[in-house]
Amino acid sequence: MRIIIAGGHGKIALRLAKLLGAGAAGLVRNPAHLADVEATGAEAVLCDLEKSSVAEVAETLRDADAVVFAAGAGPGSGVARKDTVDRAASVLLADAAERAGVRTFVQISSMGAGKPPAPGSDEVWATYIRAKTEAEEDLRSRDLDWTILRPGRLTDEPGIGLVRLAPEVPPGSVPRDDVAAVIAALLRAPYAGRRTLELVTGDIPIGEAVATR
Ligand SMILES: NC(=O)c1ccc[n+]([C@@H]2O[C@H](COP(=O)([O-])OP(=O)(O)OC[C@H]3O[C@@H](n4cnc5c(N)ncnc54)[C@H](OP(=O)(O)O)[C@@H]3O)[C@@H](O)[C@H]2O)c1
């Protein structure tokens, strides 16, 4: 199974690449990041999602079975890049998936998406939540086999393999290790239909949580 991870040098993306190994390829925008992706055992491909056309991204998806949107503008970014990465790059990747005939699409969104930003939120956070919400809505409108995953607050603590994964869960945090493990399990499991799933640490083993999602 060939799986393309967009935003391939991200913290979740590198963990996922390590779990998937040789079947995976990570798309990175910075040539200096190619070696880190290759060190996971995955292939590394240069592709800047803010500078590439649909045709160029579709070319990177040739012969792929699934694509994962793991990119994000990141904590230091401002309003403009919340839109160009968290919204527009996901839309571009979905356009490219359709063009390349790749039906399986896992989008990393965020808890908080799907609702208006809380009153009093700062402008960058509000733009981020709107960008994630619009990226989700775009994906839901498509004829793709999509799964939208909304993790809670991400941590770099070691994964514990126990989660809550459901359309709605109480706010919480989750280690990036466990987010990557959930995505790997979602990609291996039979497709369960168009699902939006929130994810935080819980008490259900990941395999069971994915099987009963
Ligand atoms: N932080 C949280 O608590 C939280 C909670 C829920 C969901 N999320 C979401 O979870 C996702 C993954 O999180 P993470 O911590 O793994 O993110 P991350 O480490 O910030 O990784 C994001 C990756 O996206 C890449 N990227 C940015 N612009 C790009 C472009 N134009 N073309 C290609 N790649 C580009 C970045 O590349 P560079 O290294 O070159 O910048 C980076 O490697 C993000 O969408 C984030 O919004 C975060």
Side-chain angles (χ1 to χ4, degrees), residues 2 8 10 15 28 55 59 73 78 104 115 123-124 132 141 152 181 205 209 212:
R2 181 166 168 78
R15 288 162 166 81
V28 300
E59 185 57 29
T104 301
K115 297 179 204 134
E123 191 193 3
V124 175
K132 288 295 198 193
S141 73
T212 56

Side-chain angles (χ1 to χ4, degrees), residues 115 164 166-170 196-198:
K115 297 179 204 134
R164 286 185 79 164
E168 205 163 343
V169 302
T196 301
L197 298 168
E198 297 188 345

Side-chain angles (χ1 to χ4, degrees), residues 76-196:
S77 58
V79 163
R81 293 195 66 245
K82 298 302 180 197
D83 186 67
T84 57
V85 183
D86 290 285
R87 183 195 61 78
S90 178
V91 171
L92 174 71
L93 189 69
D95 281 340
E98 287 184 341
R99 184 180 289 216
V102 183
R103 288 201 59 84
T104 301
F105 193 117
V106 177
Q107 180 191 69
I108 306 180
S109 181
S110 174
M111 268 178 99
K115 297 179 204 134
S121 299
D122 77 62
E123 191 193 3
V124 175
W125 175 257
T127 306
Y128 170 72
I129 288 299
R130 276 195 293 272
K132 288 295 198 193
T133 300
E134 289 174 24
E136 288 189 357
E137 286 167 355
D138 170 79
L139 190 55
R140 287 192 195 96
S141 73
R142 294 177 185 267
D143 179 24
L144 290 172
D145 296 340
W146 53 261
T147 304
I148 294 169
L149 189 64
R150 291 177 177 165
R153 188 176 59 79
L154 300 174
T155 76
D156 290 329
E157 298 297 312
I160 61 165
L162 298 171
V163 296
R164 286 185 79 164
L165 178 73
E168 205 163 343
V169 302
S173 63
V174 60
R176 288 178 171 90
D177 283 353
D178 286 337
V179 179
V182 165
I183 295 171
L186 286 167
L187 290 166
R188 279 193 299 267
Y191 180 59
R194 300 158 162 242
R195 302 276 161 99
T196 301

